[in-house]
Amino acid sequence: SQTIHQWPATLVQPVGSPLSLECTVEGTSNPNLYWYRQAAGRGLQLLFYSVGIGQISSEVPQNLSASRPQDRQFILSSKKLLLSDSGFYLCAWSLRGYPGQFFGPGTRLTVL
Amino acid sequence: GQNIDQPTEMTATEGAIVQINCTYQTSGFNGLFWYQQHAGEAPTFLSYNVLDGLEEKGRFSSFLSRSKGYSYLLLKELQMKDSASYLCAVREGGGNKLTFGTGTQLKVEL
């Protein structure tokens, strides 16, 4: 069966510091991968998605970036965090040809 | 683009039935999803509708009317553990991107 991991679970970072969040999927090959952010009291906002290694599509202009160095690894990064980057970051995966997405446990980021 | 509307909050009684509505506007509808999200946790998949009609899965059912741009999630025999946010999400076109509504916070009371 497939599983998805995210770490860290929680993170507190100062404004202006860098960020690296990691997501890995097990039990499947060549998945589509997604990064979402959920701000307090708001809906899920798609940030990036990837259909393969090195292929990243950005949905929202921001100071974040994403990379996919391996088939089942998806990384969300920032060089300098802003207060507005605080939120719940969720990684998700889907199978080719099946539209449903399955979410990882999430990382709660607080920028102070 | 898409516009998805859900009620912000609902309250229901344990053992009762509750219907959570979702309306959407999209130019290339290709499926609607319902997810459940408990506070502080990740969303979990509940249902998927791409054709008109009712899909039943245990205590949960989901209905879709494409001509009306309307869906609902029906929860029967409510339990306290059903207190959560319920997210409606729409797939547009042939890709795998989903657009989520802001969610309906359901509170189940004794």
Side-chain angles (χ1 to χ4, degrees), chain A:
Chain A
S1 64
Q2 300 89 357
T3 56
I4 179 169
H5 304 277
Q6 284 186 247
W7 63 90
T10 59
L11 190 60
V12 180
Q13 292 284 99
V15 170
S17 64
L19 173 74
S20 181
L21 302 181
E22 190 163 342
C23 169
T24 58
V25 181
E26 296 178 355
T28 187
S29 296
N30 204 21
N32 294 325
L33 296 172
Y34 311 83
W35 277 113
Y36 288 89
R37 177 171 60 204
Q38 188 174 38
R42 300 182 65 180
L44 285 166
Q45 180 186 38
L46 179 63
L47 302 175
F48 301 94
Y49 72 94
S50 171
V51 298
I53 295 174
Q55 301 179 59
I56 309 295
S57 296
S58 175
E59 292 296 302
V60 182
Q62 61 220 319
N63 69 320
L64 299 171
S65 62
S67 62
R68 186 171 177 173
Q70 301 180 42
D71 180 45
R72 290 170 288 178
Q73 183 185 30
F74 205 23
I75 297 172
L76 183 69
S77 304
S78 175
K79 293 182 179 179
K80 288 186 177 182
L81 284 169
L82 307 172
L83 286 174
S84 58
D85 291 324
S86 293
F88 192 37
Y89 287 81
L90 291 154
C91 181
W93 69 276
S94 66
L95 288 170
R96 301 299 168 107
Y98 179 70
Q101 295 181 17
F102 303 92
F103 289 85
T107 295
R108 188 159 304 279
L109 172 66
T110 303
V111 183
L112 302 175

Side-chain angles (χ1 to χ4, degrees), chain A residues 32 34 38 49 99-101 104, chain B residues 33 35 37 41-42 48 96-97:
Chain A
N32 294 325
Y34 311 83
Q38 188 174 38
Y49 72 94
Q101 295 181 17
Chain B
F33 296 81
Y35 284 83
Q37 185 178 23
E41 299 181 8
Y48 170 57
N96 287 84
K97 293 190 293 181

